[in-house]
Amino acid sequence: MNAAVANAATHAAELVTMAEQLIEIMGRESAALRRFAFAEASALTAGKATLANVYASRMMALRKHPQSLRPADAAARRRLATAARALQEAAIDNAIALRAAHDAHHSMLNAVVQAVTKRDTAPAGYGRNGRTQTAYRGPVQPVSLFQDRRF
């Protein structure tokens, strides 16, 4: 086996390993998001981002120089293609889980804001004329909440 073949085989194997690691991390993150275990999902984000950036830069280099993998055997190239397709499917599933978690979080936050706003404007009881009245609590103050948009 000459150096070019060995280098191409090693390069392909490294990409396959990175893809498999990303698939595993995205699977764990998606599962955590579906359980609303946001702290667990958040703990995976930095590692996923770092690995995804390295994988993306290596795949970009491969797209610029596809001939660099030609010396690798057909089986190594097939493994890489299979891993890339599996990673794409995992990324789609992960994006769906992230979007669902974001939407659920946003809906919950809106419900809290609406409940607080409704509480501040609810009638306070009956007045001297027998009609309900709204207690004067001053102008309704806006509710200030922070939303973590990392998901």
Side-chain angles (χ1 to χ4, degrees):
M1 178 184 292
N2 68 29
V5 172
N7 188 31
T10 300
H11 188 62
E14 288 173 352
L15 286 168
V16 168
T17 299
M18 281 190 270
E20 290 170 344
Q21 290 171 344
L22 277 168
I23 291 167
E24 191 268 332
I25 291 170
M26 286 182 190
R28 287 178 31 213
E29 182 182 44
S30 296
L33 290 169
R34 288 185 179 101
R35 292 190 319 272
F36 299 106
F38 298 122
E40 182 182 336
S42 183
L44 297 169
T45 301
K48 179 182 81 168
T50 301
L51 188 56
N53 287 336
V54 172
Y55 179 82
S57 67
R58 290 200 181 175
M59 286 302 286
M60 207 176 325
L62 181 59
R63 283 187 188 98
K64 286 181 182 175
H65 306 286
Q67 70 279 6
S68 65
L69 277 188
R70 282 197 190 120
D73 65 351
R77 291 193 307 269
R78 272 194 309 274
R79 281 191 300 275
L80 179 56
T82 300
R85 280 192 301 276
L87 178 57
Q88 186 175 15
E89 290 173 15
I92 290 169
D93 182 60
N94 189 244
I96 291 168
L98 284 166
R99 184 66 189 178
H102 174 270
D103 290 350
H105 185 260
H106 186 70
S107 294
M108 185 266 316
L109 190 58
N110 283 340
V112 169
V113 169
Q114 289 174 358
V116 169
T117 303
K118 185 177 179 181
R119 184 202 70 201
D120 285 346
T121 59
Y126 293 96
R128 289 186 182 160
N129 63 3
R131 294 183 184 158
T132 60
Q133 64 183 18
T134 301
Y136 180 72
R137 298 180 182 158
V140 175
Q141 298 295 316
V143 177
S144 176
L145 295 173
F146 171 76
Q147 184 177 8
D148 186 351
R149 293 185 183 264
R150 287 180 289 180
F151 288 115

